[in-house]
Amino acid sequence: MTACALTSLGILVNNADVAGTLEFVRTGTDSGQMLATGLWTRRETVIVAGMAAVPAQAHIDLSSIPHAMHERCMRLAITKGRENPSFPFGVVIVRATDLTVMASGVNTTRRNPTFHGEIDAINDYVRRHGNEGWERMILYTTGEPCTMCMSAIVWAGIGAVVFGSSIETLARVGIRQIDISSASVTHAAPFYHGSLLGGILTSETDRLFADRAPLS
């Protein structure tokens, strides 16, 4: 499924799997860089008259995904989070087009202090699929990504992030947090065009963190 907006730039889209209307917005006068909005099935190559072919960057429209599907994916993240009762930060990375789970992760900071759930899931994705296709993925996480994890998400170029409990809530239940929101990180990275959605299944994720087991 591809849903995007169209401007009259004489664009040829070279992709047999595209279904729907495409919209491409010119972002660089000389570079010919293009921005595509909406869901897509595979990387499109955009060819503009007199310009080199460049890959289109897709903006995943999270509002087009039914709320029940967001909740289903978040429950998968919650299940993953329960593998670490003390720090139940569970993550699944799914493909935007069909919500197939491509990777998962959980906080494993006892092994490595940087292995938060999101980092563990990113590492799992690379092991399974290599370092490609990030822009077509949605990362679901039980807790709002910290600045380290959100920065990693930005550098990877993951297409969208959906989280449950906020950083404010995590701090309130006694989990140490750097008081910078994930939205603040994305605002500081103008090159990143990923989508962000919070507050999914907070009644369950908030309880998951509030009832976490003490460190043994």
Side-chain angles (χ1 to χ4, degrees), residues 126-172:
V126 172
R127 281 191 295 270
R128 297 188 190 194
H129 311 289
N131 185 20
E132 61 181 8
W134 299 107
E135 68 279 3
R136 299 190 291 274
M137 301 299 139
I138 304 173
L139 184 149
Y140 286 83
T141 176
T142 54
E144 182 176 358
C146 70
T147 52
M148 178 186 72
C149 292
M150 196 65 223
S151 295
I153 289 164
V154 166
W155 287 122
I158 294 174
V161 177
V162 180
F163 63 85
S165 301
S166 67
I167 284 175
E168 182 181 62
T169 296
L170 297 171
R172 190 166 58 245

Side-chain angles (χ1 to χ4, degrees), residues 25-35 46 48 51-55:
V25 181
R26 180 86 172 273
T27 60
T29 303
D30 298 322
S31 66
Q33 293 178 328
M34 310 299 292
L35 171 65
V46 181
V48 182
M51 298 180 182
V54 295

